[in-house]
Amino acid sequence: MNDKLKNSECDMLFSAILELQNISECYAFFEDICTVNEIKSLVQRFEVAKMLKDGETYMSIAKKTGASTATISRVNRALNYGSGGYETILGRIMTSL
């Protein structure tokens, strides 16, 4: 965990997210807390992470998602050298699909 990020306010936000019980609640909460563009950026990064894990190329990902190569590179760096968040959740959702 990044010590620059960890604090009681962040803990409270993440605890609130963990209390969401279904997709409808997620939509309502995230529409209130984020702008549409912020949500779209999060969705795009998550889609890029999945595509990278599936072995797609940067060019293919950029074409399909509209993500810049800088964004794709940033997500790839997180996948390879990050704290494992993408790996954890991608592993969980891929086994549940």
Side-chain angles (χ1 to χ4, degrees):
M1 168 53 87
N2 186 337
D3 288 336
K4 294 178 185 176
L5 182 63
K6 186 155 179 52
N7 60 42
S8 61
E9 293 83 6
C10 197
D11 287 351
M12 186 169 63
L13 172 62
F14 293 155
S15 292
I17 292 169
L18 290 171
E19 291 298 319
L20 297 169
Q21 296 180 7
N22 55 52
I23 295 291
S24 294
E25 287 184 3
C26 287
Y27 272 102
F29 181 73
F30 280 94
E31 284 179 23
D32 285 350
I33 200 165
C34 296
T35 65
V36 170
N37 285 336
E38 289 168 335
I39 295 169
K40 286 181 177 182
S41 291
L42 293 171
V43 168
Q44 183 184 64
R45 288 184 208 137
F46 193 67
E47 184 177 11
V48 166
K50 183 189 175 306
M51 294 171 85
L52 285 167
K53 289 297 294 176
D54 289 343
E56 295 201 35
T57 65
Y58 276 36
M59 288 293 113
S60 171
I61 295 168
K63 185 176 180 180
K64 291 177 183 176
T65 66
S68 69
T69 54
T71 295
I72 298 167
S73 180
R74 197 172 311 120
V75 171
N76 192 48
R77 187 172 43 252
L79 279 168
N80 291 313
Y81 306 107
S83 53
Y86 280 124
E87 293 285 341
T88 298
I89 202 63
L90 285 170
R92 287 181 189 163
I93 67 164
M94 298 316 291
T95 57
S96 68
L97 294 178

